[in-house]
Amino acid sequence: MNAPYDGDRAQGTGGPTPSQGTAPGTPVPGQVPAPAPAPDHDPYVQDAYDYDPYRAQDLSAQDPVAEVLYDRASHPPPPPGTYQEPGPLYAAPQMPSHGPDPRVWAQTPPPEPDGPSRHLPYGDHAATTQFVGVDSLVTSATDEQPQPDAFTHLYRDQQAAPGAPAEEAPVAAPAPAKPAGRASSLLKSSALMAAGTIVSRITGFARTLVIAGAIGVASLNDSYQVANTLPTMIYVLVGGGALNAVFIPQLVRAMKNDDDGGEAYANRLLTLVVVLLGAVTVVCVLAAPLFIGMMSQKIADDPQRLDVAVAFAHYCLPTMFFMGVHVVLGQILNARGRFGAMMWTPVLNNIIVISTFGAFIWAFGGFTSTGVTEQTITAEGVRLLGIGTLLGLVVQSLAMLPYLRDAGFKMRLRFDWKGHGLGKAAGLAKWTFFFVLANQIGLVVVTQLATWAGEVADRQGHGGTGITGYNYALLLWQMPQAIITVSVMTAVLPRISRSAHDGDAAAVRDDISYGLRTSAVAIVPCAFAFLALGVPMATLLYASTGADDATNIGYILMAFGLGLIPYSVQYVVLRGFYAYEDTRTPFYNTVIVAAVNAGVSALAFFVLPARWAVVGMAAAYGLGYAVGVGVAWRRLKKRLGGDLDGAHVMRTYTRLIGACVPAAAVAGGVAYAITHWLGNNAAGSLASLIGGGIALGAVFLIAAKRMRIEELNSMVGMVRGRLGR
């Protein structure tokens, strides 16, 4: 039963076997075939058709019957003598040179010749013939295609112009479909997140402006800033750092390996965060006075300031619970490729806070008219501001639910934590906890020193030199980082995690290099813009607080300026360690950064006058990250086999800095001249900012074009293509 078919015997050898032989009548190369002998046997046996009475006829001669229907203009026959010598009709085919493998079910066909020599049926041309796959046929199965007329060639002479030869229109080669590569997908995701971050940051600035217009930038705002900073610090310390750095790779792995697409793992993680942060929130609300004293001893020593700060903290501390819920839901969406919700929902928070402080101004008046302080603010005013701050985070977290439902994620509480990978994640998060702890210790030191220096400078008549000025300048300074670097790396991080999981160090290196060079095109010019135009930026945005106070914030912003470059590089480099689930190295790196920041800040506090102490602390912030980048770079380079594309990255940054130095010098001079002419009010600040910005952009583009910065040229070309120019 299993005997092979006769035609399959001895295939693969490339020649006939004795059992097969050679078909009778097969021409031998080099010999002219003899005329077939007349049949002398029964014509109804199996070789009845071996006799061909038309063998000797000229194949190029015209057929008087079929010539009427034959279109010789479209399909001219080849010249005589080029035909292949015919073989016997119905003879067994020659054995292929590529024999089938008996172990393979579907045999691979032998290769066909390429190029114009390839023989195609019906006279098709090999260079212009389009081959359509099954997917394309299925996709276009329902499309109505016009049916060609089979007899069009008979009337070709009537359709053509008189006297013109009948020619067939040339067929253009089909345009290949553009593949959607990973770079285009990353650009779309990054653009969506960048747009959301831009709107969020713009509304965030509007929020700070309204807050400053309501309670100023002096001691009362310092108390509010301390109370509002507490929940963020505690949340990041308890679990925020682990959620951002550790659980994204874990969620990606769960989606890849689990049968349910990681839904059960995500629900277990969400339940764990809800339980943990709920318990921590209750404890922190009860211990609010202790935390206020830990953040600022100067506030704790003043009973009135302490009461107001604790009242603010009672409303602000519960926001840490909703921060955690928002981040977990956002990371679940990010792991499923939905990046927009996490960037757009903070806009709702900003709108609610803006409305709250706007209502405070409407009810009690602005700061310039009331000069409200801790001694004069009412309990109703504190309650209004506190409830509005809490309500903003509640709405921000609840707004994620429709996005989850649209993504098909079913949210439910699951307490079966044991044996499902959360223990591994917790072990990784241990070092992230120490990482955040070191960072927060440095922040506590800066907050203590800044509030102390701010109170002393405020008594000397220099407002905006405390923790409020520090935070407002820091918020403006971090905007390019949040819009550019975070957006790019949030889209790249899941892919880096997959590459690291697959052991593809080259792909991890390429993605890190891509993130560094792509973000540098915007980060480096922004850093020099803060250095050259920091004062007009601050005096324009915070003009409602007074020109002197806003100018002091501008000096702090200038000191932050160049630190944006190592700050952005540090963020990108640490994503490489997180992709390999290495949280110990980022911890050691952050200890170095926090130690340098705290040490230099303490030096600035004791050496510089009170008015300039916080300016020195802002410079210390960037210096700490510059030291940390050097350490992290060497360690990641060693982790990736000694290659981090350093030459390419350094060449890009060096050229960008070389183009920004003359641009910043020209922009600073233009801004100073305009301010000296028009003054540092809102109108003068706007004019100096516009003039300086135009000068900086023009000089930078000219210098960058001369230096041939490929990343910038690619970006400009992409923008021109989008605009159709």
Side-chain angles (χ1 to χ4, degrees):
M1 295 177 63
N2 295 328
Y5 173 70
D6 290 343
D8 293 336
R9 297 181 186 274
Q11 290 189 7
T13 61
T17 62
S19 62
Q20 290 175 312
T22 305
T26 302
V28 180
Q31 297 182 5
V32 178
D40 55 355
H41 53 275
D42 189 350
Y44 297 100
V45 296
Q46 68 177 22
D47 58 346
Y49 297 98
D50 284 346
Y51 172 69
D52 184 7
Y54 303 101
R55 183 185 303 275
Q57 292 185 6
D58 184 9
L59 297 180
S60 63
Q62 298 183 6
D63 186 354
V65 177
E67 183 63 16
V68 178
L69 301 177
Y70 184 76
D71 186 8
R72 302 180 64 87
S74 299
H75 306 286
T82 60
Y83 285 96
Q84 183 180 1
E85 293 296 333
L89 297 178
Y90 304 103
Q94 296 182 0
M95 302 304 302
S97 60
H98 299 272
D101 188 351
R103 298 170 295 179
V104 180
W105 176 260
Q107 306 298 337
T108 303
E112 297 183 7
D114 296 326
S117 62
R118 179 175 181 176
H119 297 286
L120 297 176
Y122 310 111
D124 294 336
H125 194 275
T128 60
T129 300
Q130 180 182 8
F131 295 92
V132 183
V134 176
D135 292 340
S136 299
L137 291 174
V138 173
T139 303
S140 59
T142 59
D143 299 340
E144 295 185 2
Q145 301 293 339
Q147 298 297 328
D149 188 358
F151 301 97
T152 304
H153 64 279
L154 297 177
Y155 311 98
R156 189 183 308 274
D157 56 342
Q158 301 178 15
Q159 297 172 359
E167 294 182 358
E168 194 173 45
V171 180
K178 296 177 67 175
R182 67 177 186 176
S184 62
S185 177
L186 282 177
L187 287 175
K188 291 180 181 178
S189 301
S190 301
L192 176 63
M193 289 184 292
T197 305
I198 289 172
V199 177
S200 177
R201 291 289 172 167
I202 291 174
T203 54
F205 277 122
R207 181 180 68 176
T208 60
L209 295 178
V210 176
I211 292 175
I215 59 177
V217 293
S219 59
L220 177 59
N221 204 336
D222 284 354
S223 300
Y224 177 79
Q225 291 294 324
V226 169
N228 199 26
T229 303
L230 261 177
T232 304
M233 293 181 59
I234 299 173
Y235 155 72
V236 174
L237 181 63
V238 172
L243 289 176
N244 287 317
V246 177
F247 287 100
I248 293 180
Q250 296 297 326
L251 284 172
V252 172
R253 283 163 177 74
M255 288 186 60
K256 182 178 180 181
N257 300 327
D258 295 354
D259 295 335
D260 61 347
E263 182 172 313
Y265 183 91
N267 278 314
R268 294 185 187 100
L269 174 61
L270 178 61
T271 306
L272 178 63
V273 170
V274 168
V275 173
L276 178 63
L277 286 181
V280 171
T281 299
V282 173
V283 173
C284 291
V285 170
L286 296 177
L290 178 63
F291 285 111
I292 293 296
M294 180 189 67
M295 292 292 294
S296 177
Q297 189 61 39
K298 273 291 184 180
I299 294 178
D301 292 342
D302 189 336
Q304 287 183 320
R305 294 190 68 185
L306 179 62
D307 291 341
V308 173
V310 170
F312 280 136
H314 284 159
Y315 293 104
C316 294
L317 283 169
T319 60
M320 77 174 72
F321 174 82
F322 298 99
M323 288 181 193
V325 173
H326 176 262
V327 169
V328 173
L329 299 182
Q331 302 297 13
I332 293 173
L333 289 172
N334 287 349
R336 284 161 172 76
R338 306 291 184 91
F339 300 101
M342 198 172 183
M343 299 298 178
W344 283 93
T345 48
V347 176
L348 300 176
N349 177 25
N350 293 332
I351 292 174
I352 292 176
V353 174
I354 290 172
S355 302
T356 299
F357 280 84
F360 182 89
I361 295 175
W362 177 78
F364 300 97
F367 179 78
T368 55
S369 60
T370 62
V372 62
T373 62
E374 293 90 345
Q375 292 77 18
T376 59
I377 190 171
T378 62
E380 292 79 10
V382 173
R383 189 179 304 114
L384 173 62
L385 300 181
I387 292 176
T389 303
L390 175 59
L391 182 62
L393 265 297
V394 174
V395 173
Q396 174 180 311
S397 60
L398 295 180
M400 302 291 290
L401 299 180
Y403 292 96
L404 287 171
R405 184 168 57 251
D406 183 65
F409 179 79
K410 298 179 180 179
M411 187 172 57
R412 58 175 59 91
L413 296 179
R414 299 194 59 153
F415 296 91
D416 52 336
W417 301 332
K418 188 175 181 180
H420 294 283
L422 291 177
K424 176 184 178 181
L428 296 172
K430 172 184 65 177
W431 291 105
T432 305
F433 170 80
F434 293 128
F435 167 92
V436 176
L437 178 62
N439 200 12
Q440 298 305 315
I441 289 176
L443 181 58
V444 169
V445 171
V446 172
T447 303
Q448 287 276 5
L449 298 177
T451 52
W452 192 309
E455 183 181 357
V456 175
D458 193 24
R459 290 201 301 264
Q460 297 174 355
H462 303 293
T465 55
I467 190 63
T468 298
Y470 185 92
N471 288 339
Y472 280 12
L474 183 66
L475 179 65
L476 180 60
W477 176 76
Q478 289 177 334
M479 185 175 181
Q481 161 80 3
I483 294 175
I484 305 299
T485 309
V486 175
S487 298
V488 170
M489 295 310 299
T490 302
V492 172
L493 183 57
R495 196 179 71 194
I496 294 179
S497 301
R498 285 189 290 268
S499 300
H501 182 261
D502 296 336
D504 192 353
V508 175
R509 177 204 62 205
D510 293 342
D511 288 334
I512 294 291
S513 175
Y514 168 82
L516 287 171
R517 292 181 288 106
T518 303
S519 59
V521 174
I523 291 296
V524 175
C526 287
F528 280 88
F530 288 135
L531 178 64
L533 306 173
V535 171
M537 288 181 187
T539 52
L540 175 63
L541 293 173
Y542 304 110
S544 60
T545 64
D548 294 338
D549 295 355
T551 301
N552 291 329
I553 298 176
Y555 292 144
I556 299 174
L557 182 59
M558 291 178 64
F560 273 117
L562 297 182
L564 183 64
I565 299 174
Y567 179 67
S568 175
V569 174
Q570 172 90 341
Y571 181 88
V572 176
V573 171
L574 292 187
R575 303 309 106 178
F577 295 107
Y578 292 140
Y580 284 101
E581 299 182 352
D582 179 7
T583 54
R584 179 182 300 182
T585 302
F587 161 68
Y588 290 133
N589 190 262
T590 302
V591 170
I592 296 173
V593 174
V596 173
N597 184 22
V600 179
S601 296
L603 181 64
F605 175 79
F606 289 108
V607 172
L608 298 176
R611 179 184 180 182
W612 302 105
V614 177
V615 176
M617 297 177 194
Y621 194 86
L623 180 62
Y625 278 99
V627 175
V629 165
V631 178
W633 183 275
R634 288 194 298 270
R635 293 187 175 183
L636 183 60
K637 181 179 179 180
K638 182 178 179 181
R639 181 64 181 268
L640 297 179
D643 184 14
L644 200 53
D645 200 17
H648 195 185
V649 173
M650 290 302 298
R651 182 168 61 250
T652 300
Y653 276 84
T654 302
R655 292 180 178 180
L656 286 171
I657 293 174
C660 287
V661 169
V666 174
V670 172
Y672 178 80
I674 296 176
T675 302
H676 183 73
W677 178 40
L678 298 178
N680 59 353
N681 51 22
S685 300
L686 178 61
S688 61
L689 186 59
I690 293 175
I694 293 175
L696 187 143
V699 176
F700 170 73
L701 290 176
I702 293 173
K705 185 177 181 180
R706 293 294 182 89
M707 295 181 181
R708 298 179 181 178
I709 303 174
E710 56 181 340
E711 290 79 11
L712 181 62
N713 294 334
S714 300
M715 180 177 293
V716 172
M718 181 183 66
V719 172
R720 287 181 176 177
R722 295 291 185 183
L723 296 177
R725 298 179 181 178

